[in-house]
Amino acid sequence: MRLTIVGHLKGQLTQATRIAMDRGAAVTHAESVDQAMRSLRAGRGADLIMVDVALDVRELIEALEAERFHVPVVACGVEHDARAAVAAIRAGAKEYIPLPPDPDLIAAVLSAVADDARDFVFRDPAMVSLIKLATQIAASSASVLITGESGCGKEMLARHVHAASPRAKAPFVSVNCAAIPEHLLESELFGHEKGAFTGATARRIGKFEEASGGTLLLDEISEMDVRLQAKLLRALQERVIDRVGGGKPVPVDIRVIATSNRTLADEVRKGTFREDLLYRLNVVNLKIPPLRERPADILELATHFAKKYAAANGLPPRPLSAEARVELARGRFPGNVRELENTIHRAVLLATGPEIGAETIRTPDGSPLDSTPRGPAARAAETAETVARGFVGRTLADVERDLIIDTLGHTRGNRTHAANILGISIRTLRNKLNQYDDEGFPVPPPQAGVAAA
């Protein structure tokens, strides 16, 4: 847990630092917003920032957003300074800690964001076998590829590998390759030198250097552009990186873990993923079964989430009734652990009696869980039938237009990415978009920070 405290270390703030260190946090200090930003650009990293409300909290949060540092911020100040506390929350601070600091409150805030506070709950034999393998290979520095459906716990397993490895005390740095625009991802991973491109006003250390000595998680790596994959391959092979605009290779010492909810061998056949990169990443493949194939985990996780969300919402702990347990065991949970967690959170809030009853085990719209046992072929046929019904009565041109515009919206307006997904040339895509624009159909423009081409 890396904590950065921003403000002048006087009395009560010094005491907060001491409490955080006693709770196991690695604490760094910056006296000003500028100094804090310089520290982050230098790759020192932070899992949480605690800032004195005497400073400009809004300036700090806007600076973090502008440079894409995704770090939660909590404000702290003297108890009677209510106006400053409200201003800090409105500026984007996640929490306000009154000073003098309460040790239990600081411990609660730290545990809410600490990596080691994430519970990894499992009981099913399939998961027991997988965790045994993950623990066995954790001691090496071999690259690991974790695959599985969305919501099944790929990042949790990656954190387990890191925690069980000799790198456990070094940083664990995660990058979501699907969430960062293509033209920014290279700088995010490898960093850049001052003046490397428009807006590069200072040197920025990338995630490879920030994770040096520890573990770098490349989440949803299948979304990475093929051109950037070549640079990633060199970094994995030679253990050196080149900052954008830099002239000298920078050595790095990291272990890379990648995740994907797609079959990368299929992406190789499509030409959207490099075969040599797949071989480099796939030294060990940890494939997480979907929750519907881990029946023993469903009730174990449900019990865990029921306790967690009762405590989080200040409610008395309630056990799951026998009927609720039967209802959960019948569920298919296409959203996997993420869907189960939301289902139990909702049930905890709806429960009124001494137990969590079956009537609270519902989807967000109030309907029962999908419990129809279907094989892959039946599920695929049902999906195909549903899609086909939506096409009836429409022209081929209408369907094509909607597909192109929806895909462009998915890529946040990036034409090149959309053309790759659709399997057409960028020139063909641009001609189609010009035609739709002339016909009066709304064409999604590139979103802020996303290149059009």
Side-chain angles (χ1 to χ4, degrees):
M1 171 67 187
R2 299 169 296 172
L3 171 66
T4 295
I5 294 183
V6 187
H8 298 293
L9 285 182
K10 296 180 181 177
Q12 294 166 347
L13 202 54
T14 302
Q15 187 180 352
T17 303
R18 190 176 299 113
I19 292 171
M21 293 176 69
D22 289 343
R23 302 285 175 167
V27 180
T28 58
H29 171 243
E31 290 195 353
S32 65
V33 171
D34 285 344
Q35 189 176 341
M37 295 304 299
R38 287 198 298 271
S39 175
L40 291 172
R41 292 188 199 108
R44 295 186 179 91
D47 300 306
L48 177 68
I49 293 176
M50 186 183 296
V51 57
D52 189 341
V53 292
L55 299 179
D56 191 334
V57 178
R58 184 177 298 279
E59 179 189 359
L60 172 63
I61 291 175
E62 289 178 350
L64 292 171
E65 291 175 350
E67 299 194 36
R68 306 181 308 282
F69 288 110
H70 306 292
V71 186
V73 175
V74 297
C76 56
V78 293
E79 289 184 89
H80 62 268
D81 198 352
R83 181 176 297 178
V86 172
I89 296 298
R90 287 178 175 171
K94 303 297 184 184
E95 185 59 84
Y96 177 78
I97 298 177
L99 299 176
D102 177 79
D104 291 337
L105 179 57
I106 289 184
V109 171
L110 293 177
S111 65
V113 296
D115 293 345
D116 57 8
R118 300 178 181 228
D119 298 296
F120 200 9
V121 178
F122 59 92
R123 173 168 288 189
D124 195 271
M127 283 301 288
V128 171
S129 176
L130 182 66
I131 300 305
K132 182 178 179 181
L133 174 60
T135 304
Q136 180 180 342
I137 60 94
S140 73
S141 291
S143 299
V144 179
L145 178 63
I146 301 177
T147 56
E149 296 179 4
S150 293
C152 66
K154 296 188 289 294
E155 183 173 346
M156 292 289 290
L157 184 57
R159 290 179 180 276
H160 172 79
V161 172
H162 172 72
S165 76
R167 299 172 178 265
K169 294 184 179 180
F172 177 94
V173 177
S174 176
V175 180
N176 188 331
C177 300
I180 301 173
E182 174 188 325
H183 70 290
L184 296 178
L185 184 55
E186 181 177 7
S187 171
E188 191 77 12
L189 289 174
F190 303 109
H192 62 252
E193 297 291 347
K194 181 178 179 181
F197 51 84
T198 302
T201 56
R203 170 187 281 185
R204 165 80 181 271
I205 297 300
K207 299 302 184 184
F208 266 85
E209 289 181 80
E210 184 180 331
S212 193
T215 301
L216 176 64
L217 171 63
L218 300 176
D219 199 15
E220 300 304 343
I221 195 171
S222 54
E223 301 299 320
M224 183 181 292
D225 183 77
V226 174
R227 290 169 295 183
L228 187 53
Q229 290 174 24
K231 190 167 182 177
L232 173 60
L233 178 63
R234 176 175 180 262
L236 292 176
Q237 288 176 331
E238 301 180 21
R239 299 293 165 174
V240 296
I241 58 134
D242 295 306
R243 298 192 192 110
V244 178
K248 187 172 77 172
V250 179
V252 290
D253 170 27
I254 60 168
R255 189 219 204 118
V256 171
I257 301 177
T259 73
S260 178
N261 58 11
R262 300 186 190 183
T263 302
L264 291 184
D266 292 342
E267 300 304 309
V268 169
R269 285 190 286 272
K270 293 177 187 176
T272 60
F273 201 83
R274 292 180 62 109
E275 187 174 26
D276 47 5
L277 178 57
L278 173 58
Y279 291 145
R280 175 62 62 175
L281 289 170
N282 199 18
V283 177
V284 179
N285 182 201
L286 301 176
K287 185 175 182 179
I288 305 180
L291 189 58
R292 59 185 170 275
E293 296 177 9
R294 298 150 45 190
D297 281 353
I298 294 177
L299 295 181
E300 188 77 10
L301 284 162
T303 300
H304 166 73
F305 290 138
K307 293 177 182 177
K308 172 182 175 179
Y309 286 110
N313 290 282
L315 298 171
R318 295 183 175 97
L320 293 159
S321 70
E323 295 80 5
R325 295 168 73 87
V326 170
E327 187 74 13
L328 288 167
R330 295 171 56 221
R332 301 297 297 167
F333 296 107
N336 292 292
V337 178
R338 187 179 294 122
E339 180 186 355
L340 174 62
E341 181 173 6
N342 291 338
T343 298
I344 299 301
H345 192 175
R346 186 163 49 250
V348 167
L349 298 176
L350 295 175
T352 56
E355 294 182 315
I356 297 175
E359 71 281 358
T360 66
I361 308 298
R362 291 290 183 266
T363 62
D365 64 4
S367 59
L369 297 178
D370 176 14
S371 59
T372 307
R374 296 165 297 176
R379 290 196 299 274
E382 180 182 84
T383 301
E385 182 182 354
T386 301
V387 172
R389 282 199 298 267
F391 291 156
V392 174
R394 306 183 65 205
T395 67
L396 182 61
D398 287 343
V399 172
E400 180 188 64
R401 182 186 64 245
D402 288 353
L403 176 61
I404 288 175
I405 291 177
D406 287 348
T407 302
L408 193 62
H410 171 74
T411 64
R412 302 176 68 217
N414 186 302
R415 271 62 172 162
T416 301
H417 194 181
N420 289 336
I421 292 173
L422 292 164
I424 60 178
S425 69
I426 185 67
R427 183 174 182 178
T428 299
L429 176 63
R430 285 174 176 152
N431 289 338
K432 292 284 186 183
L433 295 178
N434 289 335
Q435 174 190 333
Y436 302 152
D437 189 58
D438 292 341
E439 292 171 352
F441 292 101
V443 174
Q447 295 185 21
V450 178

